[in-house]
Amino acid sequence: LQIGRGVRIVGVARDLTQGAIVPSVNPLSLALHGDGLYMVAGQSEEPLFTRAGQFQLNGRGEIVTPTGERLLGYGVDAQFRIDDSGLTPLAIPLGSTIAGMDGSPVTMTGYAITENGVVEGRYSDGIVRTLGRIRIATFNNPGGLVGAGDNLWAEGVNSGPPIENNPGSNGAGTIVAGAVELSNTDIGEEIVELTLASTHFKANAEVFRTADSLLDELMHIRR
């Protein structure tokens, strides 16, 4: 007699293909059109990656995920010029006051995020100032990323290190502000696959029943 050992999951494939993009009422919903993932700082400052771009502002004005991870990118210097010396948490200090061109105080009244990741602040003097730039990470083997929960991923042994780029350059996707990327699951295709699996299961069950019936008849003849 041979006894089976049952079944188990050998592995789970990572499917990071593009999903449909739909408008959102949240201006900080940032859908990625193309390849790549956002870089965020985890609760212990560990580098994590996500494609779920439904961001919001925390109490310090930092751009964060729904679970509090801070979005990373390039900051700016005192003259509002991009500082590409290293990654830093990005912030949009709405309502903050700075000195205007003539020295008088001006207040940030709004913001915008361009498709190539530049975060811009609109001030009460009519001037738009740069607040930072979002950076995008791509991987040679994104299927090797390790799941960290809450739509977050960590670098894995097989994924290779992250390759940082500005959105829209060197194969990285562009940003669609005020939009959400939906699940890339094709419901119609999944229903077809489920129907085929069910049909195959029924066919296999009939084969087992027929074999069992033939074996029973053979044993009855031998008796």
Side-chain angles (χ1 to χ4, degrees), residues 118-219:
V118 177
V119 184
E120 300 174 334
R122 295 190 298 272
Y123 287 80
S124 55
D125 59 356
I127 296 178
V128 174
R129 295 172 172 86
T130 301
L131 305 177
R133 185 168 204 167
I134 299 170
R135 295 279 279 173
I136 299 297
T138 57
F139 292 85
N140 289 327
N141 178 28
L145 292 169
V146 178
D150 295 319
N151 289 319
L152 297 168
W153 307 91
E155 178 184 337
V157 176
N158 297 322
S159 67
I163 303 168
E164 297 180 21
N165 284 295
N166 292 326
S169 65
N170 299 320
T174 55
I175 293 175
V176 183
V180 174
E181 181 184 2
L182 301 180
S183 171
N184 57 11
T185 301
D186 187 326
I187 300 299
E189 181 180 351
E190 293 303 318
I191 291 176
V192 171
E193 293 291 338
L194 181 61
T195 303
L196 287 175
S198 175
T199 302
H200 292 161
F201 177 81
K202 291 178 181 178
N204 289 334
E206 287 298 326
V207 171
F208 281 119
R209 276 194 287 269
T210 301
D212 182 65
S213 177
L214 292 174
L215 181 61
D216 184 62
E217 291 182 10
L218 178 61
M219 296 300 293

Side-chain angles (χ1 to χ4, degrees), residues 6 21 56 80 82 86 90 106 125 156 170 181 183 194 214 222:
I21 294 177
Q56 57 196 28
F80 297 97
I82 295 290
L90 298 176
V106 295
D125 59 356
N170 299 320
E181 181 184 2
S183 171
L194 181 61
L214 292 174
R222 292 188 60 182

